[in-house]
Amino acid sequence: MLSKYYPVIKKLVFSNKKYSFMIFISITLMNFSEIVLVSLIAPIYDLLSETEFNFISKYINSIFIKIGFELNIISASVALIIFGLIISIMRLYSSWLVYTVKNNFMFDLSSKFTLSTLKADYNKLSKENSGNLINILTLEMERAGGSLLIIFNFFRDLILSLGLIFFLAIVSLKLLILFILIFLPLTLLIRYLHNRIEIASSKISTSNRVFLNHIKEIFDNIKDIKSMSVVDNSYNWVIKDAGSRLNAYKEASILSAIAENVQHFIMLLGLGVIVILSKVYLLIPSAEIILVIGGIVRLSPKITSAQRSLAEFLTLLPGFNLVTSMVSKLDKTQNINISKGSKIDLVAKSINVNNISFKYDGSSEIIKNFSCQINKGEITAIYGKSGSGKSTLLNMLLGLINPHKGEIILSPNSETPYHEYIFDNVGYLGQESGLFDFTIKENIKFFNDADNSEIDQLLKEFDLDSRFILDEELVGDKGISLSAGQRQRILLIRSLIKKPHLLFLDEATNNLDKKTENIIYQKLNDVKKDMFIILITHNKNVEEIADKVIYV
């Protein structure tokens, strides 16, 4: 049954070879201690019943003599306590190791997923549902880490079970065979339940994705929902998803509990049958029966725990598969133009767009044989109606997508690839640009270093009062605590503070008051001599503010 999961198990177990080896050593010590613990039942029983030592008791007695101790009820009991303590310590140590591995594994997986998302091709990434990506990075990531933890627990209990079975075979092969014959029919039922658990776990992944997608859509459209009085309808829509999600968890949990309890009952039934058959029909000595029962009592929770771990692993495995498959998918779409590089400082007087064409998958050409020239020191407006391709042209100028035909080159220095020139040299303010829930200065720095005095000066130049210079409060989700005009000015400062070679503004002044719009355009005229400034707009009055208009 585990064969089809072997590649995944191998990847999980060997995610950290050093810790995996240490875990194996601790499990081996636990296994040895378990066998010794069960073996000590034989001399203790013989001493208590004052009967002749059986072969196990004689062997243990010889070991005691070699190390200079007498085997009696006290020494045997002390040995029992010591090895029980060793088992507890090794179990704690192996658990610490496993949780350490899980922590490192989840950090590594989260890092890979986040980096793969940030470096993925923009065109491909924009087609992914953001709610699905959030679901994978949160709920499914936790399930992926859980699968690692569970599979280590499974192998721990499996190894301990095999060690005890081997020991019991030495003690009494007849009794062990009898136990296995009673236990075998259970495996068919367990396999059926595991198949059901696997199906239920797939439902969990699906319902998690749908639920988070719908929750995100609710929050994204909360203003529309309240304004149009569809609160109750939207609630009924999303709560149905919550119910389906919880039912999927319930189904998987109930099936795991059924599998565990059925196995526990049959184990107890098997013990009763073994005692009756071994004493009445097989005439096996009582000492061997007691020893085998002691071994089975230690073995039973191990098998139950291994079964539970396997059931939980099947429940959590889809989370691991979702995370790793998405990382692989995003890696394959990585845009090499923006994934690596270093900032280039060179003089370019113009950007020449030569005969470029572009179309999205399965669509006709959005841009066909288009050419233009963008000059440094000018405010260049790219004007076009909705659907004309101006946003697609912008994405090519930003280096987010590549033209299918034609090229974008610099003049002079045409030998320097355009995508290398723009790396870390772009300032961008789009119609969907937003602020993080940081302080104002942290938003302006935007994960970079910047001089506070320069930030203060720009805040003053953009007519933002002293409160903004001193304000250390968080601005809220998407800058909700600020007005639209304040947000746009802060976002423009964020673009200017890095002193870019190219500044792109995509419908950046839409819905702003005239005063704020004038402040922004005045600042653009002040800085244009040092950079390329490109405005994307459908404003018919664009000629009033632009030095040059390119029609798309």
Side-chain angles (χ1 to χ4, degrees):
M1 180 182 176
L2 287 176
S3 57
K4 66 177 179 179
Y5 303 116
Y6 174 74
V8 175
I9 293 171
K10 183 180 178 182
K11 191 171 185 178
L12 286 169
V13 172
F14 292 103
S15 59
N16 189 312
K17 292 182 179 179
K18 176 185 174 183
Y19 280 104
S20 296
F21 176 74
M22 293 167 68
I23 291 168
F24 174 76
I25 294 298
S26 65
I27 290 175
T28 302
L29 289 173
M30 284 173 62
N31 201 14
F32 172 75
S33 300
E34 283 279 2
I35 292 172
V36 173
L37 195 72
V38 174
S39 300
L40 286 168
I41 294 174
I44 290 175
Y45 173 81
D46 291 337
L47 289 166
L48 288 173
S49 61
E50 298 180 350
T51 57
E52 184 181 352
F53 278 3
N54 63 20
F55 74 99
I56 294 289
S57 299
K58 290 177 180 177
Y59 181 72
I60 292 175
N61 185 43
S62 67
I63 294 175
F64 269 68
I65 292 171
K66 284 181 181 179
I67 60 176
F69 287 96
E70 179 186 354
L71 179 60
N72 53 42
I73 194 67
I74 295 175
S75 60
S77 298
V78 169
L80 194 74
I81 293 169
I82 290 172
F83 281 99
L85 182 61
I86 292 173
I87 291 170
S88 298
I89 292 172
M90 287 298 102
R91 182 176 287 272
L92 284 172
Y93 179 61
S94 64
S95 295
W96 176 82
L97 288 172
V98 169
Y99 278 106
T100 302
V101 172
K102 178 192 174 185
N103 185 67
N104 295 341
F105 171 77
M106 288 189 66
F107 180 80
D108 183 58
L109 201 56
S110 299
S111 300
K112 284 181 180 177
F113 181 85
T114 304
L115 191 61
S116 296
T117 302
L118 291 171
K119 288 188 172 184
D121 178 80
Y122 174 78
N123 188 31
K124 297 290 193 300
L125 184 63
S126 61
K127 296 177 182 178
E128 294 292 336
N129 187 292
S130 57
N132 182 39
L133 294 176
I134 293 170
N135 169 55
I136 292 174
L137 191 55
T138 52
L139 295 176
E140 300 302 338
M141 189 68 69
E142 181 59 37
R143 295 177 76 200
S147 65
L148 174 73
L149 179 66
I150 293 300
I151 203 61
F152 271 117
N153 289 340
F154 169 76
F155 279 115
R156 179 195 65 198
D157 293 323
L158 180 63
I159 291 170
L160 291 174
S161 298
L162 291 174
L164 284 170
I165 288 171
F166 177 75
F167 170 74
L168 292 175
I170 295 173
V171 173
S172 179
L173 187 58
K174 287 182 182 179
L175 281 178
L176 181 62
I177 292 173
L178 184 61
F179 172 73
I180 292 173
L181 289 174
I182 293 171
F183 185 73
L184 268 180
L186 174 66
T187 58
L188 297 175
L189 176 60
I190 294 297
R191 183 161 188 172
Y192 167 75
L193 290 173
H194 282 173
N195 288 336
R196 291 288 305 274
I197 290 169
E198 197 171 351
I199 294 170
S201 64
S202 296
K203 291 180 183 177
I204 290 174
S205 293
T206 302
S207 57
N208 278 342
R209 183 176 65 252
V210 171
F211 179 67
L212 281 180
N213 285 347
H214 289 177
I215 284 291
K216 180 180 179 299
E217 288 168 344
I218 288 286
F219 287 138
D220 287 346
N221 296 283
I222 191 67
K223 186 175 182 179
D224 304 68
I225 289 170
K226 286 179 172 291
S227 301
M228 300 177 71
S229 303
V230 291
V231 170
D232 290 340
N233 293 342
S234 60
Y235 165 78
N236 292 332
W237 175 64
V238 79
I239 206 66
K240 185 166 57 177
D241 299 328
S244 299
R245 176 171 170 264
L246 293 174
N247 285 335
Y249 275 103
K250 179 182 176 182
E251 182 183 355
S253 299
I254 288 175
L255 287 170
S256 295
I258 289 173
E260 181 179 347
N261 283 284
V262 165
Q263 181 169 318
H264 183 67
F265 170 75
I266 293 182
M267 195 74 71
L268 292 174
L269 178 65
L271 280 175
V273 173
I274 284 172
V275 171
I276 294 170
L277 293 178
S278 59
K279 192 65 179 176
V280 177
Y281 297 101
L282 299 177
L283 303 177
I284 295 174
S286 297
E288 289 186 21
I289 295 174
I290 292 295
L291 194 57
V292 170
I293 288 176
I296 292 174
V297 167
R298 295 296 297 174
L299 177 63
S300 176
K302 305 291 184 299
I303 293 177
T304 301
S305 179
Q307 180 276 324
R308 182 172 61 247
S309 295
L310 183 57
E312 290 181 17
F313 174 70
L314 295 178
T315 302
L316 298 173
L317 183 59
F320 175 81
N321 289 334
L322 267 176
V323 175
T324 52
S325 63
M326 182 58 75
V327 169
S328 176
K329 179 180 179 181
L330 294 173
D331 281 344
K332 290 177 181 176
T333 70
Q334 193 173 116
N335 189 337
I336 60 171
N337 290 352
I338 61 172
S339 297
K340 56 185 177 181
S342 57
K343 190 169 183 175
I344 295 176
D345 286 312
L346 56 79
V347 176
K349 294 182 179 180
S350 66
I351 299 170
N352 297 319
V353 178
N354 295 335
N355 203 35
I356 63 170
S357 298
F358 183 87
K359 68 175 182 177
Y360 293 99
D361 295 340
S363 67
S364 57
E365 286 184 318
I366 304 294
I367 294 178
K368 185 176 182 179
N369 299 327
F370 180 82
S371 298
C372 69
Q373 180 175 304
I374 300 169
N375 298 318
K376 187 176 183 178
E378 294 181 346
I379 297 177
T380 301
I382 298 176
Y383 172 81
K385 296 180 180 179
S386 179
S388 62
K390 60 184 185 295
S391 293
T392 301
L393 176 59
L394 169 65
N395 288 337
M396 284 190 279
L397 290 170
L398 286 169
L400 299 177
I401 58 177
N402 297 316
H404 292 157
K405 189 178 75 172
E407 60 181 354
I408 302 175
I409 60 174
L410 302 170
S411 177
N413 300 301
S414 58
E415 69 280 359
T416 301
Y418 175 74
H419 68 264
E420 291 184 10
Y421 173 69
I422 66 173
F423 182 84
D424 202 23
N425 275 321
V426 168
Y428 172 72
L429 173 55
Q431 51 189 321
E432 295 182 358
S433 294
L435 297 174
F436 286 74
D437 190 14
F438 298 160
T439 65
I440 289 170
K441 286 189 176 181
E442 286 172 336
N443 268 293
I444 291 173
K445 291 179 180 179
F446 200 55
F447 309 107
N448 290 304
D449 294 326
D451 186 82
N452 284 328
S453 61
E454 290 186 38
I455 295 175
D456 294 344
Q457 182 60 37
L458 283 169
L459 286 168
K460 290 176 182 177
E461 290 178 11
F462 276 88
D463 197 28
L464 291 168
D465 59 42
S466 58
R467 177 177 71 85
F468 287 91
I469 298 175
L470 300 173
D471 197 351
E472 292 299 321
E473 294 183 6
L474 303 180
V475 300
D477 184 34
K478 298 181 181 178
I480 191 67
S481 65
L482 307 174
S483 71
Q486 290 169 337
R487 287 196 294 270
Q488 289 300 87
R489 280 178 278 175
I490 290 169
L491 286 166
L492 183 54
I493 292 173
R494 184 178 78 181
S495 294
L496 292 173
I497 198 70
K498 66 183 295 185
K499 300 179 177 62
H501 291 176
L502 302 92
L503 178 63
F504 294 88
L505 289 87
D506 183 11
E507 308 284 8
T509 59
N510 283 4
N511 304 318
L512 294 182
D513 60 85
K514 200 65 179 176
K515 178 185 176 182
T516 301
E517 191 176 24
N518 288 336
I519 291 173
I520 290 176
Y521 287 140
Q522 180 58 52
K523 186 60 182 176
L524 292 180
N525 276 295
D526 291 343
V527 300
K528 69 180 182 181
K529 67 179 185 299
D530 298 319
M531 64 182 72
F532 297 89
I533 298 180
I534 299 98
L535 308 181
I536 308 297
T537 183
H538 64 269
N539 185 348
K540 293 181 179 179
N541 299 321
V542 66
E543 293 179 353
E544 298 176 8
I545 55 172
D547 299 304
K548 180 179 181 179
V549 180
I550 297 172
Y551 295 92
V552 180

